[in-house]
Amino acid sequence: MLRYTLMRLGIFVGCFVVVWALVYSGVAPRGLGASNGMWMIMLALVVSAPISFVALRKERDRASERIAPRLDRSIDRVKSNLAANRSQEDDVDDAARTPAPAGAPAEDTAAGNAKAAESGPDSEDVKASEGVKAS
């Protein structure tokens, strides 16, 4: 990757020297006011990009072959971490939904909470109204 970066930088510097020579010889236009340096940098970038794309194709492919296995390993590591986190959440959820073993207080379980909710004052009103309808 360092080799590709240095080659890309070399192409840019070469293009910058050519643009600088063209601007100061009057072939290419100068920038407005104090923007001449920025104009030359932007023009060198525009010229060097397509040259690098074509000239450095093989080097870019070699660099991507070296990077791809590391990227695959890191993606696999992230996926396994996500799967582990998902299974932890499932275990906690399953434990919360599982009724308590015999001998445990009913208030600690989800079933005990449901029974407590059924025995509330609202449920007595419903039971009483059902009794009236049944009579």
Side-chain angles (χ1 to χ4, degrees):
M1 187 70 187
L2 179 63
R3 182 177 171 178
Y4 172 77
T5 303
L6 291 175
M7 292 172 77
R8 176 76 172 93
L9 186 62
I11 290 174
F12 169 73
V13 169
C15 289
F16 182 78
V17 168
V18 169
V19 167
W20 177 80
L22 291 175
V23 167
Y24 281 103
S25 67
V27 175
R30 292 180 183 250
L32 297 174
S35 69
N36 194 32
M38 185 59 74
W39 164 253
M40 289 188 304
I41 290 173
M42 296 303 287
L43 194 56
L45 280 173
V46 168
V47 171
S48 70
I51 293 171
S52 295
F53 183 74
V54 174
L56 300 179
R57 181 178 308 250
K58 289 180 184 177
E59 188 61 35
R60 190 172 46 251
D61 290 342
R62 271 188 246 141
S64 67
E65 287 174 2
R66 285 189 299 244
I67 292 172
R70 285 187 284 173
L71 183 61
D72 290 340
R73 283 193 304 266
S74 63
I75 288 173
D76 290 341
R77 188 172 47 244
V78 167
K79 284 182 180 180
S80 66
N81 288 344
L82 286 174
N85 288 342
R86 236 181 263 124
S87 68
Q88 283 179 337
E89 290 175 3
D90 290 344
D91 292 344
V92 170
D93 187 48
D94 290 345
R97 293 174 188 260
T98 305
E107 294 82 28
D108 291 344
T109 64
N113 291 340
K115 287 180 184 176
E118 287 178 4
S119 64
D122 294 333
S123 62
E124 290 175 3
D125 294 339
V126 172
K127 289 178 184 174
S129 65
E130 288 177 358
V132 172
K133 290 181 185 175
S135 317

